[in-house]
Amino acid sequence: MAASFASRCSRVGRSLFGGLSNNSPGLFTTSHEMTCNNYFSQQQRTFIQMRTVLKVVDNSGAKKVMCIQALKGKKGARLGDTIVASVKEAHPNGKVKKGKVVYGVVVRAAMQKGRCDGSEVKFDDNAVVLVDKQGQPIGTRVFGPVPHELRKKKHVKILTLAGHIA
């Protein structure tokens, strides 16, 4: 017990010294700490595929949906693509109920997407706006930032409902 406490204290001291130095892997860092740092820095950001849970960012009544199928591409959906999803959580008085199969447009994706000017856009979460079969939004408001790449994908109505355009 005392040995494990001493090793924990020494590991904390080493990480403090490593954090104060200018070199990226600190002089006193252990291999375990370097492995943990590499794991967190190489976080997987993949396509939105089957069974991906997405946050709903409109006032249609749904809170979370699970992707059933991406309507474009073999690998999965990216920013601006349309998906088929099942509602997993919903507000009790909303337009959309739990268990309903809906269409949605991906408005925020954790996977990075390159822009024409060389910059890349990526978000912290995966989010979707629910639409009907014709592509018209079900809700009347869209919360949070929405990228202007949706204009190229002909989702101008979502851009007009959004507050911030990123």
Side-chain angles (χ1 to χ4, degrees), residues 120-160:
E120 293 179 335
V121 60
K122 65 181 174 181
F123 295 95
D124 292 337
D125 60 346
N126 296 320
V128 69
V129 170
L130 300 185
V131 295
D132 57 7
K133 287 188 177 184
Q134 289 78 30
Q136 298 301 315
I138 295 174
T140 57
R141 294 177 63 195
V142 175
F143 307 113
V146 175
H148 69 267
E149 279 85 3
L150 295 179
R151 190 176 307 278
K152 293 178 187 172
K153 303 267 185 160
K154 308 284 191 272
H155 297 296
V156 182
K157 179 75 174 174
I158 294 173
L159 284 173
T160 58

Side-chain angles (χ1 to χ4, degrees), residues 10 12 27 29 35 37 49 51 69 72 76 83 85 89 92 94 97 126 131 147 151 166:
S10 65
V12 169
L27 187 60
T29 56
T35 305
N37 289 339
Q49 54 196 356
R51 297 182 64 88
Q69 182 182 14
K72 181 186 172 201
I83 63 169
E89 291 180 26
K97 302 297 180 199
N126 296 320
V131 295
R151 190 176 307 278

Side-chain angles (χ1 to χ4, degrees), residues 69-132:
Q69 182 182 14
L71 293 181
K72 181 186 172 201
K74 277 186 175 178
K75 290 185 178 179
R78 294 185 82 172
L79 211 56
D81 290 343
T82 304
I83 63 169
V84 180
S86 171
V87 178
K88 291 297 174 185
E89 291 180 26
H91 290 287
N93 298 329
K95 296 177 189 173
V96 180
K97 302 297 180 199
K98 181 179 175 183
K100 186 175 178 187
V101 177
V102 293
Y103 288 89
V105 175
V106 179
V107 294
R108 290 201 294 262
M111 185 178 181
Q112 61 193 19
K113 179 153 172 78
R115 288 187 169 170
C116 296
D117 60 354
S119 65
E120 293 179 335
V121 60
K122 65 181 174 181
F123 295 95
D124 292 337
D125 60 346
N126 296 320
V128 69
V129 170
L130 300 185
V131 295
D132 57 7

